[in-house]
Amino acid sequence: MKFLEKQLHKMEPNFVKGGKWEKWNPLFETIATFAFTPKLVTEKGAHIRDGVDLKRTMIMVVLALVPCLIFGIYNTGHWGMVAEAGTRDLAYWSDMGPKFLLGLTYVLPIIVVSYGVGLAVEFLFGMLRGHSLHEGYLVSGMLIPLCMPADVPLWMVAVATVFAVVIGKEIFGGTGMNILNIALTARAFLFFAYPTSMSGDKVWMAGTEKSVDGFSGSTVLGDLATFMGDKAVVAGQEVVGTTQAGLEAITNNYSLIDSFVGMIPGSIGETSTLACLIGAAILLITGVGSLRIMASFFAGGLMMGLILNLAGGNAYLELPAIYHLVIGGFAFGAIFMATDPVTASQTQGGKIWYGLFGGMIAILIRVLNPAYPEGVFLAILFMNVMAPIIDHYVVQMNIKRRLSRLKTA
Amino acid sequence: MESTLDIFVKAIFSENMIFAYFLGMCSYLAVSKTVKTAVGLGAAVIFVLVVTVPVNYLLENYLLKAGALEWMGAEYANIDLSFLSFIMFIAVVASIVQLVEMLVEKFAPALYGALGIFLPLIAVNCSILGGALFMQDRQYSTLFDATAFSLGSGIGWFIAIVAIAAIREKIRYSNVPPALRGLGITFIITGLMGMAFMSFMGIKYGKDKKEDKAATGMIDKAAPAVKTAKAITIKNEIND
C-alpha cells in the first residue's frame, strides 16, 4: 500500500494543470481517490467532517448487491441446465459447481460489457468536460446486468448502457443530477426498443433458444399474465377450468417459498427476495438506503394486491397479495432501485408517498396491463418523474403549517 | 365501445396530450419554469377543455356532421357541413378563452400577470383544438363520454406541465452542457417522461360497453362485402 501511495504521489505532477498528461487527469484522479481518501477538502457550501464520501457510499451499495449477484449467477446456471435438459424437474441444489460455472459464463460477460462501456462513456465525458470520473456508475454498472434477462445479447447491453449514461445522466451534469434511475432507463430503453429480447418465454432461461421444441422458459409473471387473456398457460401447460385450478397450477410450479428464496426463472439478480433482503439489511445498517421508501413500497404493493383480491374474477386477480411481493423484480426494485437517493423524493414525508404510490402502480401495471408482464421498473420510472412535484408540495405544506403556527403565536 | 372510465383514464395517461401527441408544446415549454405558473396554466387548460369540447360535441352532432341537421326536417337530412368544423371549433375556443381571460383578470390578478401572453394564447394552444378534433375523429357516443375525455385530457396536460415544472426547478443548478441549456434539456426531459408514461399504455380499466345491435348488424353485413372485394382484386391480380 505504501508503495502504491508513493508511486501515485510521484506521478501526480504530470497530471495536474500544466503537466505532461494534463488531459488524462480524470483517469488519474479516479484511480488515486479510489485507492486512498483524498486530502482535498470542500471549498464552498456546507462542511461536514466525515470519512465517508460518495465513493464509499456507492461501494456499500455494490456490497449489498453481492448476495443478489451470487445467487443470480447460480440461478442462471440452474435454469440454463433446465433449458438444456428440456424439463423443469431438475433438482435445484445439486451439481452446484457446474451450475455456478455455467451461470458465470452468461453473467460475467454482461457485467464486463456494462462496466466497460459505461466507464468508457463516463471517462470520455470527464475528459471533454474536465471533471473527474463520476462515482455513480459503480452502482449503475452493477444494477444494469442484474436487471437484464440472462439471454440478452451483449451489444444490446452496450447500446442501453450508452443511452442510459449519456441521455439519462451525463447531459444533466453527471452523478447526482439525473432525474431517472440510470439502470432503469437502460432497462426501459431495451424494453421499448427491442421488446422481443426483453419479454416472452424465450429469454429468461439462458440458452432457451437452443432447447427442445415446445419447452417453455416462461417466468411466473409471464404465466400469470396469460390468465388475463383467453388462454391460460402455466409452464408450457394449458390450464383449463376454474380460478381454483389456475391458482393450484401457479402454486405447484412456483411455490411461495421457492419464489422467496429465488428458485424461479427471471432477470439475473431479481429472483431472490431473500438475497434482496440481506442487501436491504446492509443498506439500512450502514444508513445508505431509506427505510421509509422500502417499507412504504412494500406496503403499497400489498395494498394494491389486496384491492385486486377484492375485485377477483380470475387466478391472477385472486393471487394472494403476499405473492406479489416475492415474484418478479418487486423486492429488487423496492430495495435497490426505488431508494436511489438522487431520483427518489428528498423530503421525509415525500418518501412515504413516493414509495406507497410506486408500490401500488407497480402491481396495477403488472396485473392490469396485458402488454407489460412486469410493472415494477415502469412504476419506479413514473415515480421518478413525479418525485420533484411530491417534494414541492411537501415543502409547501410545511411552509404553510409553520406560517399558521407563527400567526397563532 | 370503450367504457367511460377507460376513456377518462386513457386520456390522462396513455393518450396524454403531451407525451403521446406532443400537442400544446409551446406553452408547455414556455410556462413550465416555475410550478406556480404551471399550475395556473394547467388549470386554465383543464377549464377551457372541459367547456369547449362538450360545446363542440353538440355543434358537431347537431349542426356539422353529415345528416346532423335532420332534427330541422327531413329535407335537411343530406346536408354535410363538416367542412366548416375547423372554423367553428376555433371560434368556440377563441370566445371561451376570452371569457376565461376576463375571469382570471378579475379574480386572480397575480396569476393573470404571471401567465402574461400565454393566457390569450390558449386560444391557439394545439391541445385545445386537438381535444375538439379528437372528439370528432373518435366519435364518442354520448356527451358524457366526450366530457370525460375532455376532463381526462385536461388533467393529463396539467400533470405533464406541473411535473416538468418541478423537474425544471430541481435541475436549475445542474451542470448541463451549455449547448443543451434551456429548451434542449427540456425536450430531452419530455422524452424521458414520455417513456415513463408509456407504462400505462394498453391498460383496460372497465368492461367494454355492449355494442349496439344495429351497429353489429352493419358490421356483419359489411364484412362479406369486403371479403368479396378482396377476392375480386386477388382474382384480377392472378389474371394479370
Side-chain angles (χ1 to χ4, degrees), chain A residues 114-297:
Chain A
S114 158
Y115 268 118
V117 173
L119 288 176
V121 173
E122 290 258 345
F123 181 60
L124 198 70
F125 266 83
M127 290 217 324
L128 287 175
R129 302 203 62 204
H131 60 61
S132 66
L133 223 63
H134 279 149
E135 298 85 346
Y137 199 71
L138 285 178
V139 172
S140 308
M142 185 56 88
L143 283 174
I144 290 175
L146 288 185
C147 63
M148 295 284 165
D151 246 2
V152 66
L154 292 178
W155 64 269
M156 279 189 197
V157 179
V159 170
T161 307
V162 172
F163 176 84
V165 173
V166 175
I167 305 290
K169 183 165 79 168
E170 283 301 332
I171 58 161
F172 288 95
T175 297
M177 305 294 183
N178 47 310
I179 55 164
L180 297 183
N181 186 306
I182 312 296
L184 290 180
T185 310
R187 176 83 162 74
F189 172 76
L190 283 189
F191 185 80
F192 291 126
Y194 308 100
T196 47
S197 300
M198 297 299 286
S199 52
D201 63 353
K202 289 285 175 212
V203 299
W204 301 104
M205 293 180 194
T208 322
E209 298 275 349
K210 293 174 295 220
S211 77
V212 285
D213 279 350
F215 174 72
S216 164
S218 59
T219 63
V220 54
L221 287 174
D223 284 345
L224 279 166
T226 60
F227 283 103
M228 302 301 276
D230 302 327
K231 196 174 111 183
V233 181
V234 174
Q237 307 276 317
E238 192 177 343
V239 176
V240 280
T242 54
T243 308
Q244 203 55 40
L247 273 176
E248 254 166 40
I250 286 290
T251 42
N252 282 345
N253 276 290
Y254 316 94
S255 76
L256 192 63
I257 191 75
D258 281 4
S259 312
F260 178 73
V261 177
M263 298 147 70
I264 50 173
S267 294
I268 292 168
E270 68 167 22
T271 55
S272 172
T273 308
L274 182 66
C276 290
L277 286 179
I278 296 172
I282 298 176
L283 289 183
L284 289 175
I285 290 167
T286 53
V288 173
S290 159
L291 178 61
R292 280 164 201 266
I293 293 178
M294 290 181 202
S296 58
F297 204 94

Side-chain angles (χ1 to χ4, degrees), chain B residues 217-234:
Chain B
M218 263 163 66
I219 291 167
D220 283 349
K221 261 180 236 157
V226 172
K227 260 186 203 162
T228 6
K230 249 190 196 163
I232 289 167
T233 21
I234 291 168

Side-chain angles (χ1 to χ4, degrees), chain B residues 1-8 57 139-149 204-213 215-216:
Chain B
M1 276 309 285
E2 293 167 310
S3 72
T4 310
L5 182 68
D6 221 15
I7 291 171
F8 177 69
Y57 180 85
Q139 301 191 335
Y140 291 118
S141 52
T142 62
L143 183 63
F144 187 62
D145 278 0
T147 316
F149 162 72
K204 273 201 181 305
Y205 297 92
K207 288 208 174 81
D208 287 356
K209 281 181 200 162
K210 272 181 195 148
E211 290 277 340
D212 222 33
K213 267 228 172 119
T216 352

Side-chain angles (χ1 to χ4, degrees), chain B residues 9-29:
Chain B
V9 183
K10 248 184 167 170
I12 297 180
F13 292 111
S14 55
E15 287 172 1
N16 189 295
M17 282 283 183
I18 294 280
F19 298 126
Y21 298 109
F22 287 85
L23 288 176
M25 286 302 280
C26 2
S27 40
Y28 167 80
L29 292 171

